Amino acid sequence: MRITNKVLSRNFLGNLKVNLEEMQKYQNQLSSGHEVQRPSDDPFRVARTMELKSSIAANERYKKKYRRRTWLA
């Protein structure tokens, strides 16, 4: 089987493109401070994050109600 310069060049450029896309992804994560840029990047992590934010908000509401009750008592 003969491997021509054209085949080598095409493989090299294809691999280079993949590596540049990966590097861009990580650069975007670093610059934004967010690991997930779009929900489609990691649907499970996005769902879990939304669940945790909701839970934190509920706890904050409970804490405010508790403080009001103890202040009034």
Side-chain angles (χ1 to χ4, degrees):
M1 177 180 194
R2 186 170 179 211
I3 300 175
T4 63
N5 284 339
K6 186 176 181 178
V7 171
L8 290 174
S9 297
R10 192 175 337 149
N11 285 341
F12 173 78
L13 292 174
N15 290 335
L16 181 63
K17 181 180 180 237
V18 169
N19 288 338
L20 287 173
E21 288 170 352
E22 286 283 316
M23 194 167 72
Q24 171 115 28
K25 175 183 139 188
Y26 293 127
Q27 182 64 38
N28 288 340
Q29 288 176 355
L30 284 171
S31 65
S32 70
H34 298 294
E35 197 169 330
V36 177
Q37 300 295 317
R38 292 181 289 272
S40 60
D41 290 345
D42 191 346
F44 174 76
R45 184 171 285 168
V46 170
R48 182 69 176 140
T49 300
M50 291 173 66
E51 183 180 295
L52 290 172
K53 284 183 178 183
S54 175
S55 179
I56 289 169
N59 285 335
E60 289 295 325
R61 288 190 302 272
Y62 175 77
K63 184 170 72 172
K64 285 180 184 177
K65 286 181 183 178
Y66 179 76
R67 284 186 178 163
R68 283 189 208 138
R69 287 182 191 161
T70 57
W71 183 77
L72 292 175

